[in-house]
C-alpha cells in the first residue's frame, strides 16, 4: 500500500487508534496500522520532544545495541548498515527514517505525557488525558483502541542506590541515563559502578579517552563476545537482494539466540564452561578470571551481556581498564573506599546501577469507572490485560530482541481490529476465569526486575495467559492463531442505523 492511499482524515480529538509513545515500538505500530488497517485513523502521543525513545534518551559514551540489528530492526525494513551491533545514533536514525519514509512523523503529537485512560463501555471508547508541556495544561483525546508503546522503564528516575558518603565526593557522579556531553572525562580517572549491559558498554568506550577506567562490580555477569560485523552478512548481501539477505540473517540470528537460550536453561554447566573459556581466551595469561567473570547464577537467569569484537576484554588486556569485584563501603572526598579496604581514586563516577521499571509509562487506567489495579491483571498473549478492553501493549522479549515480539504484537492488534470490524463488535476484552493460577510477569532474577515485579501484571501458567518468550511459538499464535479463542470476549455490537421514517403523506 502506498502512503497516498492511506486515509489521513483525522478529527483533532478522536481517532480510531491512539498509540502512546514514539519509540521503536510506537513507530512500528504506526507502520502496521497504515498497512493492515488502512481505513483507521490514528495518532501518536509522545511525552518527549522527539522520536526514538530509548535511542534518543541515552547519550552515554559508546551507547549501542546489545543484540543484533537483524532482529532488533523491524521485519519490514532491512537493516543495511555494515554493523550488526549498532551504535545508538544509527539506531535512532533508523527509527526516524522509518517514521519519515512512511509519514508516521506527521501523526505524532510531541510533549504529550499520557497520565490517565478511562474506558467507557457505553461509548465504546477510551478517553485519554495527557499533560502538555510543563505547565500542567491537559488535553483529552478519545479513541476506540489504545496501543501502549511506552517501553518498560521510568524515563526521569533511573535506579541509583544510596551510597554512603556520596555527598563528600569532590568529583562528578552521574547516572548514564542523565549523561550529557558536558561531562568531561578525557585524561580523568573514571569508576563505573555496575556489571550489566550499560557498564560493559561504557568501560571500553570511556577507556579510549580516560586516564583509566575501573569497572566496580558487586557480582559478575556472564559476558559473551560476538563480531560487531556479521561475516555471513557480507556473503549474504553479495548474493541476495537486500530484503532476502535481511530475512536470512534475521532467521539465522533468531535460531542462534533461541538455541543458546535453550542450551543455557537445559545445560547450564556446559554453557558456563563455554562462557568462561571464551573470557579466558581473550584475557592475558594469568588474569584472575574467577572473581571477575564467574557469576553466582546460571546463564540466562539474568540477561547475558554481549560485547562486540571483545572490546571489553581488549581494554582489560591493554591496561586502560580494570575490574574490581568488591562492595562500596563509602565514598570519600577523592573516590571510593571498598569493603576489602582498598581505595579507588576517581574524578568521575558513573553509576550504571540500572533502570526503574515502570508499567504503561505510568498511565492510570479505569474501566467503566473502576480503577484498574495493574498488579491484579494478567497478561493475555503477553500483549493485552485481563478485564481491560481494546488495549494492546507493546512489550518485547527478555531473551531475544525486543522488536521481534513488538512486530508480532502489531500484527495481532491489526488482525484483532479488523476482526472486530468484520464482526461488528466494538469491544474485545480478555476474560480471566476465576482461580486461574498466576506467576510473575518476567522470568529473570535480575535486581531491576525483582524490585518492580509487584507493580507489573502477572502471567498465567498456560496459554493464552503465559508469556512463552518464544518467537516461533508466537508466530503461530499471534500471526496465524484464531482470534476467537473463547477467552477474548467480543461484545458491544455497533448500533444498527435505524431505517429512515417514511415521510407523512
Ligand atoms: C541502553 C539500552 C539499550 C538497549 N539495547 C537493546 C538491544 O540491543 N536489544 C533489545 O532487544 N533491547 C534493547 N533495549 C531495550 C529497548 O528499550 C528496546 O529494545 C526498545 O528500544 C524499546 O522501544 P519502545 O518503543 O518499546 O520503548 P522506548 O524506547 O522506551 O520508547 C517509549 C516511548 O514512549 C514514551 N512514553 C512513555 N510513557 C509515556 C506516556 N505516559 N505518555 C506519552 N509517551 C510516553 C517515551 O517518551 C518514549 O519515547 C535497550 C534498552 C536500553 C535502556
Amino acid at each position: 500500500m502506498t502512503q497516498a492511499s492511506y486515509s489521513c482524515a483525522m478529527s483533532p480529538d478522536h481517532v480510531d487508534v491512539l498509540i502512546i509513545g514514539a519509540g521503536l515500538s510506537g513507530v512500528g505500530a504506526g507502520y502496521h496500522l497504515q498497512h493492515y488497517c488502512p481505513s483507521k485513523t490514528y495518532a501518536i502521543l509522545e511525552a518527549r520532544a522527539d522520536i526514538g525513545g530509548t535511542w534518543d534518551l541515552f547519550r552515554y559514551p559508546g551507547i549501542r545495541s546489545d543484540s543484533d540489528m537483524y532482529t532488533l530492526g523491524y521485519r519490514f525494513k532491512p537493516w543495511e548498515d555494515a554493523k550488526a551491533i549498532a551504535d545508538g545514533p544509527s539506531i535512532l536514525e533508523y527509527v526516524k527514517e522509518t517514521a519519515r519514509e512512511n509519514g508516521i512523523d506527521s501523526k505524532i503529537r510531541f510533549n504529550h505525557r499520557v497520565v490517565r485512560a478511562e474506558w467507557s463501555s457505553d461509548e465504546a471508547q477510551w478517553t485519554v488525558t495527557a499533560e502538555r508541556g510543563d505547565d500542567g495544561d491537559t488535553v483529552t483525546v478519545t479513541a476506540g483502541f489504545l496501543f501502549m508503546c511506552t517501553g518498560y522503564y521510568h524515563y526521569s528516575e533511573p535506579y541509583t542506590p544510596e551510597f554512603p558518603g556520596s555527598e563528600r565526593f569532590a568529583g562528578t557522579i552521574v547516572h548514564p541515563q542523565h549523561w550529557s556531553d558536558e561531562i568531561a572525562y578525557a585524561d580523568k580517572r573514571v569508576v563505573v559502578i555496575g556489571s550489566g549491559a550499560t557498564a560493559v558498554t561504557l568501560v571500553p568506550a570511556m577507556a579510549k579517552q580516560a586516564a583509566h577506567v575501573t569497572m566496580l562490580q558487586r557480582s559478575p555477569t556472564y559476558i559473551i563476545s560476538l563480531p560487531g560485523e556479521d561475516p555471513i552478512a557480507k556473503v549474504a548481501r553479495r548474493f541476495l537482494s537486500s530484503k532476502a539477505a535481511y530475512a536470512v540473517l534475521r532467521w539465522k540470528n533468531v535460531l542462534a539466540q533461541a538455541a543458546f537460550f535453550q542450551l543455557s536453561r537445559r545445560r547450564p554447566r556446559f554453557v558456563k564452561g563455554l562462557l568462561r573459556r571464551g573470557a579466558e581466551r581473550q584475557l592475558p595469561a594469568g588474569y584472575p578470571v574467577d572473581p571477575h567473570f564467574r557469576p553466582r547464577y546460571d546463564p540466562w537467569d539474568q540477561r547475558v551481556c554481549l560485547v562486540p569484537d571483545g572490546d571489553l576484554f581488549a581494554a582489560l588486556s591493554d591496561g586502560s581498564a580494570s575490574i574490581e569485584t568488591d562492595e562500596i563501603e563509602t565514598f570519600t572526598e577523592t573516590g571510593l573506599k571498598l569493603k576489602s579496604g582498598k581505595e579507588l581514586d576517581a574524578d568521575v563516577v558513573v553509576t550504571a546501577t540500572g533502570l526503574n521499571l515502570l508499567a504503561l509509562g505510568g498511565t492510570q487506567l479505569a474501566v467503566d469507572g473502576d480503577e484498574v489495579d495493574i498488579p491484579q491483571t494478567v497478561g493475555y498473549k503477553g500483549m493485552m490485560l485481563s478485564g481491560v478492553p481494546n488495549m494492546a501493549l507493546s512489550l518485547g522479549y527478555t531473551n531475544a530482541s525486543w522488536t521481534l515480539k513488538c512486530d508480532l504484537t502489531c500484527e495481532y492488534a491489526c488482525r484483532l481490529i479488523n476482526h472486530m470490524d468484520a464482526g461488528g463488535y466494538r469491544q474485545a476484552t480478555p476474560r480471566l476465569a476465576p482461580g486461574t493460577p498466576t506467576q510473575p510477569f518476567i522470568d529473570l532474577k535480575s535486581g531491576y526486575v525483582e524490585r518492580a515485579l509487584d507493580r507489573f501484571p502477572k502471567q498465567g501458567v498456560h496459554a493464552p495467559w503465559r508469556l512463552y518468550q518464544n518467537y516461533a511459538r508466537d508466530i503461530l499464535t499471534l500471526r496465524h492463531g484464531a482470534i476467537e479463542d473463547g477467552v477474548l470476549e467480543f461484545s458491544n455490537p455497533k448500533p444498527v442505523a435505524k431505517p429512515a421514517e417514511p415521510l407523512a403523506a
Side-chain angles (χ1 to χ4, degrees):
M1 195 199 67
T2 63
Q3 182 56 34
S5 65
Y6 178 69
S7 162
C8 284
M10 185 179 77
S11 87
D13 299 311
H14 181 83
V15 284
D16 295 324
V17 183
L18 189 62
I19 299 169
I20 318 296
L24 196 55
S25 304
V27 169
Y31 176 91
H32 282 85
L33 278 171
Q34 291 185 187
H35 282 251
Y36 298 107
C37 305
S39 65
K40 296 291 172 199
T41 59
Y42 82 94
I44 304 179
L45 300 188
E46 167 53 54
R48 307 181 73 242
D50 213 339
I51 295 178
T54 297
W55 304 106
D56 185 50
L57 175 75
F58 280 87
R59 304 288 175 127
Y60 59 76
I63 169 76
R64 59 162 172 80
S65 65
D66 55 14
S67 62
D68 70 277
M69 288 307 298
Y70 307 120
T71 54
L72 186 59
Y74 302 112
R75 178 165 169 250
F76 58 82
K77 182 172 167 65
W79 174 259
E80 286 173 333
D81 197 291
K83 286 214 169 113
I85 308 299
D87 58 84
S90 306
I91 303 172
L92 178 60
E93 182 46 34
Y94 173 81
V95 180
K96 286 188 168 176
E97 190 177 86
T98 309
R100 255 192 332 264
E101 282 171 353
N102 296 282
I104 298 162
D105 47 359
S106 68
K107 306 286 182 185
I108 305 172
R109 303 181 198 175
F110 292 107
N111 300 309
H112 281 65
R113 176 180 306 285
V114 172
V115 290
R116 188 165 174 79
E118 296 174 19
W119 170 260
S120 157
S121 295
D122 287 344
E123 292 165 30
Q125 68 180 20
W126 287 98
T127 300
V128 175
T129 307
E131 290 175 354
R132 213 163 37 170
D134 291 330
D135 52 10
D137 177 21
T138 60
V139 288
T140 57
V141 183
T142 58
F145 197 96
L146 207 52
F147 205 155
M148 303 299 289
C149 299
T150 50
Y152 61 100
Y153 61 88
H154 208 300
Y155 264 61
S156 50
E157 290 169 23
Y159 177 68
T160 316
E162 284 287 319
F163 291 117
S166 55
E167 69 291 343
R168 281 197 278 160
F169 181 56
T172 306
I173 303 178
V174 60
H175 192 286
Q177 203 166 321
H178 292 153
W179 187 272
S180 89
D181 288 344
E182 276 143 42
I183 296 161
Y185 63 93
D187 304 321
K188 304 228 163 133
R189 294 158 305 174
V190 177
V191 172
V192 175
I193 303 174
S195 60
T198 302
V200 304
T201 302
L202 275 163
V203 170
M206 294 184 83
K208 287 181 191 152
Q209 288 185 34
H212 184 80
V213 182
T214 307
M215 179 164 128
L216 172 59
Q217 57 179 16
R218 198 166 47 178
S219 57
T221 303
Y222 288 108
I223 295 176
I224 186 168
S225 171
L226 288 179
E229 289 187 23
D230 185 338
I232 298 175
K234 285 186 194 153
V235 181
R237 284 180 178 137
R238 198 174 319 142
F239 295 107
L240 299 170
S241 69
S242 160
K243 248 181 139 173
Y246 186 55
V248 167
L249 295 166
R250 196 172 163 86
W251 269 106
K252 170 184 81 68
N253 289 358
V254 162
L255 295 174
Q257 278 168 11
F260 182 59
F261 179 77
Q262 289 304 332
L263 193 64
S264 302
R265 283 281 152 106
R266 285 167 200 205
R267 304 278 304 279
R269 282 184 60 182
F270 173 74
V271 175
K272 272 184 192 179
L274 215 61
L275 292 172
R276 187 193 159 87
R277 284 192 294 281
E280 268 169 353
R281 253 199 316 274
Q282 296 177 79
L283 289 164
Y287 192 93
V289 174
D290 251 6
H292 302 321
F293 291 96
R294 188 175 170 186
R296 297 181 203 131
Y297 54 88
D298 284 341
W300 275 111
D301 280 353
Q302 299 186 17
R303 279 183 81 110
V304 173
C305 285
L306 186 159
V307 294
D309 303 316
D311 62 358
L312 175 72
F313 298 111
L316 295 172
S317 304
D318 69 20
S320 57
S322 57
I323 302 190
E324 291 294 337
T325 303
D326 206 329
E327 286 188 50
I328 297 171
E329 186 168 301
T330 181
F331 269 78
T332 63
E333 286 74 12
T334 55
L336 291 141
K337 183 160 186 251
L338 308 181
K339 289 204 170 149
S340 64
K342 189 165 186 172
E343 299 216 12
L344 298 177
D345 287 336
D347 306 301
V348 178
V349 174
V350 189
T351 53
T353 43
L355 306 163
N356 261 327
L357 299 197
L358 181 69
L360 305 180
T363 307
Q364 275 183 292
L365 298 180
V367 173
D368 292 327
D370 292 330
E371 296 297 310
V372 175
D373 186 11
I374 301 289
Q376 295 302 319
T377 63
V378 181
Y380 170 80
K381 296 189 168 161
M383 53 153 297
M384 290 180 85
L385 297 180
S386 57
V388 180
N390 294 22
M391 189 184 82
L393 316 171
S394 211
L395 283 173
Y397 294 120
T398 50
N399 63 352
S401 281
W402 186 262
T403 321
L404 290 172
K405 175 73 184 283
C406 293
D407 275 352
L408 288 175
T409 299
C410 290
E411 287 182 41
Y412 181 87
C414 292
R415 289 177 64 213
L416 173 59
I417 290 167
N418 290 337
H419 185 83
M420 289 166 74
D421 267 2
Y425 302 112
R426 295 188 300 167
Q427 186 165 338
T429 317
R431 294 287 179 205
L432 186 73
T436 305
T438 61
Q439 56 180 332
F441 196 64
I442 307 172
D443 176 26
L444 283 181
K445 297 194 176 97
S446 313
Y448 73 101
V449 172
E450 289 182 338
R451 279 196 303 274
L453 276 177
D454 60 345
R455 283 171 274 136
F456 267 65
K458 307 267 183 307
Q459 61 165 318
V461 294
H462 302 295
W465 301 104
R466 182 162 166 204
L467 251 179
Y468 285 92
Q469 302 281 1
N470 182 324
Y471 181 59
R473 191 184 173 113
D474 284 339
I475 288 182
L476 296 178
T477 318
L478 299 177
R479 185 176 295 158
H480 302 294
I483 298 277
E484 301 232 11
D485 61 357
V487 174
L488 192 56
E489 176 192 273
F490 290 90
S491 59
N492 219 339
K494 282 181 187 151
V496 181
K498 282 191 189 147
E501 297 273 328
L503 287 177

